[in-house]
Amino acid sequence: MASSSERTTVEVFAEPTRRVSGGWVAAFALAWFGVWMAQLTPVQLLLPAQIQAELRTSDWVQNVLAFGVISGVSALCAIVAFPVTGALSDRTTSRFGRRRPWIAAGALLFALSLLLLGAQHTLLGIGVFWSLAIIGFCVLTAALTATISDQVPVGQRGTVSGWLSAPQAIGIIAGILLVTLLSLGTFLGYAVVAILLLVLVVPFLMRPDAVLRPDQREPWTLRGMLDSLWISPRQYPDFGWTLLSRVLVNFGNAFGTSLLLYFLEFGLGDENAEDDLVMAVLVYMVFVIIAALTLGRLSDALERRKSFVFLSSTLQAVAALLLAFVPTFATTLVAAGLLGLGYGCFLAVDQALATQVLPDPETRGKDLGIMNIATAVPQAAAPLLGALMVFVAGFTGLFLMAGVFAFAGALAVAKVRSVR
C-alpha cells in the first residue's frame, strides 16, 4: 500500500486521470468570466476613454500612441510576472494548496489596482496603476491556468479550455454593456468590474487544491530560478513551436482587431463608426463563443489538436486578407465572423495543446506562465505597432501584416510532433 506521502506526490505531480465535475467547470468558468471582464473592459473602453480625457485631444494618433506606450509598459511587467509568479506557485507549500493562495492574492491586487486606477488624473498615475493591475492579472491567471494541467485529464482539456475562452467574449460584452447602459463613468466602471472580479473568483477558491510538502521540492536559489525561466527550444522543440505559434497568432488577431474603430472611421469614412463597431464586435464575439465551446469539445472527441489550431490560424489569416483587399463594412462583418470562429477555436484548442507539451510536471505553473506571455504581450503591444504600420502603409498594410502573422502561426504549429 502506498504511503500518504507517496499519494500526495502522485496527486501533485502525476497526470490527472479523474474527470473534473460539472461544478468544478462552472466555478472555473465563473472565475474566468470575472477575470476577462476586469481585464478587457478597461482595454476596450475604460482605459482609452480615461487616456483621451487626460490628453484632451481628438487626434486619434496621439490617443493611440499614449495608449500604446502605457500598454507596452504593462506588457513588460507581464513578461516578468507571468513566469516568476507561476514558478513561485509551483513551489508553494501552503496548507491551502499551491495555486489557491496565488489566485486569491492576484485577484486582490488586480481589484485594488483597478479601484485606484479609476481615481487617477495623470498619464503617469494611469500607467503605474494599470501596470499594477496587469501584474495582479498575471499572478491570478498564471495560477488559474496551471489548474488545468494539475487537475484536468488530457481528454477533457479541450472542453475545459473552451470554458476559459468563451468567458473572454462574454466578459467583454457584459462589461461594456454594464458600463455604457448604466452610464457608470470611469471610476464607477473600474469599481464595478473590480468588485465583480472578487465575487466571481470566490467559488473556485472553495475548490480543493493539492498540497505540496516542503520536502517535495528542490532547494531554492536565485540562480536556479533564473535558469528555469529559459526553456531550450532545441531540447523541447514542441514547447518552442507551440510558444512561437501562440505569439504569431495572437499578434495577427490583435493587429486585426485592436484598431478596428479607427479603420471604420478613417479607413472607410464611416459616419456611424462607433455603432457599426458594436455590431462587428458582437458578430466576432458570438462566433468566438460558438467556436470555443464546440470545437474545443470536438478536439477532445477526435483526440486531435494540431489540425484545429492550423485551421483556426488560417481562418484568421483569410479574414485579415479580406479586410486588406476588400475594405467595405459588409466585408468587415464577414471578416469579424471568420476572425471570431478562428480565434475562438484557437483559444480553446491551443490552450489544451499547450498543456500537453510542457517539459516538467513539477514546473507547470512556470511553464504555462511563459505560454501566457504569448497571449498578453501581443494584445498589449499591437495597438502601438499597428498604429506605426498604418502610418507607413495604411490600413491595407496593417491587415496584410495581420494575415502574414496568423498564417505563420499556422505553419509553426504544424512543426509540433508529440501531439496529433
Side-chain angles (χ1 to χ4, degrees):
M1 176 179 289
S3 68
S4 62
S5 64
E6 288 171 333
R7 288 196 298 271
T8 303
T9 301
V10 169
E11 186 179 7
V12 173
F13 297 134
E15 280 292 320
T17 57
R18 180 181 297 177
R19 292 174 66 84
V20 293
S21 67
W24 191 97
V25 175
F28 183 77
L30 275 177
W32 280 106
F33 176 55
V35 168
W36 292 129
M37 185 161 41
Q39 196 247 349
L40 294 175
T41 305
V43 168
Q44 295 294 326
L45 180 64
L46 295 172
L47 191 60
Q50 189 178 19
I51 291 170
Q52 186 170 350
E54 296 310 316
L55 288 177
R56 296 181 178 85
T57 177
S58 58
D59 181 3
W60 76 276
V61 174
Q62 293 185 48
N63 287 314
V64 169
L65 288 176
F67 178 74
V69 170
I70 289 173
S71 296
V73 172
S74 71
L76 294 176
C77 295
I79 289 173
V80 176
F82 264 133
V84 169
T85 58
L88 292 173
S89 77
D90 287 331
R91 297 178 52 81
T92 296
T93 56
S94 163
R95 64 188 180 91
F96 298 107
R98 289 196 297 171
R99 314 301 180 191
R100 284 196 296 181
W102 294 93
I103 293 172
L108 287 170
L109 176 59
F110 193 5
L112 180 59
S113 299
L114 289 174
L115 284 171
L116 294 173
L117 175 61
Q120 300 307 304
H121 296 288
T122 67
L123 289 180
L124 177 60
I126 293 170
V128 167
F129 284 100
W130 178 242
S131 294
L132 286 173
I134 289 299
I135 291 172
F137 166 81
C138 293
V139 174
L140 165 57
T141 57
L144 196 56
T145 304
T147 63
I148 299 176
S149 293
D150 289 345
Q151 301 186 43
V152 182
V154 169
Q156 200 181 6
R157 287 181 188 173
T159 301
V160 170
S161 295
W163 287 107
L164 178 158
S165 310
Q168 184 177 114
I170 301 168
I172 187 173
I173 293 171
I176 289 176
L177 289 177
L178 190 65
V179 171
T180 55
L181 293 180
L182 297 182
S183 302
L184 294 178
T186 300
F187 178 77
L188 285 179
Y190 281 120
V192 166
V193 296
I195 292 169
L196 287 174
L197 166 68
L198 295 177
V199 170
L200 292 169
V201 166
V202 166
F204 193 77
L205 289 173
M206 305 303 290
R207 294 279 158 177
D209 186 13
V211 174
L212 179 72
R213 296 195 326 273
D215 63 300
Q216 291 176 305
R217 62 183 185 181
E218 295 293 327
W220 184 88
T221 65
L222 179 59
R223 178 64 181 270
M225 167 74 81
L226 295 176
D227 287 346
S228 73
L229 299 181
W230 168 250
I231 298 176
S232 169
R234 183 182 297 275
Q235 187 175 0
Y236 302 103
D238 284 352
F239 183 91
W241 286 118
T242 303
L243 180 63
L244 177 61
S245 172
R246 182 174 283 202
V247 170
L248 292 169
V249 173
N250 277 289
F251 261 119
N253 182 269
F255 286 141
T257 58
S258 61
L259 298 181
L260 200 54
L261 174 62
Y262 302 113
F263 167 67
L264 293 174
E265 188 171 357
F266 300 104
L268 299 184
D270 188 343
E271 295 181 356
N272 300 308
E274 292 190 6
D275 292 338
D276 288 343
L277 175 66
V278 171
M279 186 183 301
V281 168
L282 286 174
V283 170
Y284 172 78
M285 293 303 181
V286 166
F287 278 93
V288 167
I289 295 167
I290 292 171
L293 296 182
T294 59
L295 298 180
R297 181 182 293 272
L298 183 60
S299 77
D300 283 342
L302 298 178
E303 298 183 353
R304 292 187 178 276
R305 309 292 189 202
K306 285 198 321 183
S307 55
F308 283 87
V309 176
F310 185 93
L311 177 61
S312 68
S313 306
T314 303
L315 279 175
Q316 292 177 79
V318 170
L321 294 178
L322 277 176
L323 290 172
F325 293 115
V326 191
T328 67
F329 180 63
T331 303
T332 301
L333 292 180
V334 173
L338 289 175
L339 275 171
L341 186 62
Y343 197 54
C345 176
F346 181 83
L347 285 171
V349 182
D350 183 70
Q351 182 62 45
L353 173 65
T355 66
Q356 293 178 242
V357 296
L358 301 180
D360 187 342
E362 295 187 26
T363 59
R364 291 166 178 155
K366 181 262 296 180
D367 298 338
L368 284 171
I370 293 172
M371 280 288 184
N372 286 338
I373 292 172
T375 300
V377 171
Q379 291 174 350
L384 180 58
L385 297 177
L388 293 174
M389 176 56 73
V390 172
F391 302 152
V392 173
F395 286 102
T396 299
L398 173 68
F399 293 126
L400 282 174
M401 182 169 66
V404 168
F405 270 70
F407 190 67
L411 297 179
V413 81
K415 297 286 189 179
V416 174
R417 292 287 179 261
S418 62
V419 181
R420 291 200 301 166

